[in-house]
Amino acid sequence: QTGTVAANPEQYDQAYICPVTIGSQTLHLDFDTGSSDLWVFSNLMPSSEVDGQTEFNTNSAGATKKDGYTWSISYGDGSGASGVVYADTVNVGGATATSQAVEAATSVSSEFTSDTGSDGLLGLAFSSINQVKPTPQTTFFDTVKSSLEAELFTADLQSNGPGSYTFGYIDSSKYTGSITYTAVDNSQGFWGFTAGGYTVGGGGSNSTGTIGSAIADTGTSLMYLPTAAVQSYYSQVSGSSYSSSQGGYIFPCSASLPSLTVSIGGHGFVVPGSNFNYSPTGSGNTCFGGLQENTGIGFTIFGDVFLRAVYAIFDETQGSPRIGFAAQ
Ligand SMILES: O=C(Cc1ccccc1)Nn1cnc2ccccc21
């Protein structure tokens, strides 16, 4: 089987929301290669924590409670959720898992309550970091992968318009040139890979360092790189500065933003300058940068700002996992 689903950007491309059928309900979930739990708003939550989201009905005929199973998750940005566990049929654009662990929330943090476009998350990292106790559950991809035409999924994220995720096949109309594959280190449960040198702007190579280990994370809005690369980038953006009040680099919204070329698997991938204007700060006609330092996080994240510049293939067809990138 295969699946194809639209990935709809929220405001400022903060996250990408996809329709998922669970039993007879359709919920809109944030597909996240940076975590491994499929959790949903549910009828078990206090109404004070729900602001228009669709609630999974745990009383529906097809939902089977997994007694004694609970979950609690917290994300790097401080948000979190917790609840209990059901099994139900989950269909993502035609790819169907007949008995998928659906983690029904009993409580969510304010970040999720106020994210009115999302009814929950669908984790696409490795099942080794699933947060269900006493027994970790498999992700949707792990549940269905043996039944897919090919054991892979792809992400085509766009700005200001729907992109798509596919399960089981590569859509050759989504990219130009060839796909560059590189090995994945999933020892931390993420789609980890090694990135090489970088160049700011279209000029000659002005990079002095390499980026090193990184993760491909559709659930992170921005791109977080080592300080040296970030300082090198913003040194080319006139009027830019680090704002402690805003918590990152900002610049005049009228600034001209250079591209950033990153070498992965020996191929240079170009992120256009426009990708690095994330959003207005709300004060003084300054804008918040889509590239920020990784210092507060502990690792380098190639989030949506990068992933919008490429077609990404999350591939387990070779036995050991690999990730592929192609220009688009
Ligand atoms: O948690 C992170 C990484 C992060 C971002 C910003 C600051 C510090 C750390 N991303 N993420 C990956 N999946 C997520 C799901 C919800 C919230 C954030 C999520």
Side-chain angles (χ1 to χ4, degrees), residues 14 30-35 39 73-80 111-112 121 190 215 217-222 224 296-297 299 301:
Q14 189 265 335
D30 174 359
F31 281 27
D32 178 12
T33 62
S35 68
W39 72 260
I73 194 165
S74 58
Y75 299 100
D77 67 351
S79 61
E111 294 86 351
F112 291 111
L121 264 73
F190 299 118
I215 68 167
D217 181 359
T218 60
T220 292
S221 312
L222 308 185
Y224 295 88
I297 299 177
F299 45 92
I301 302 180

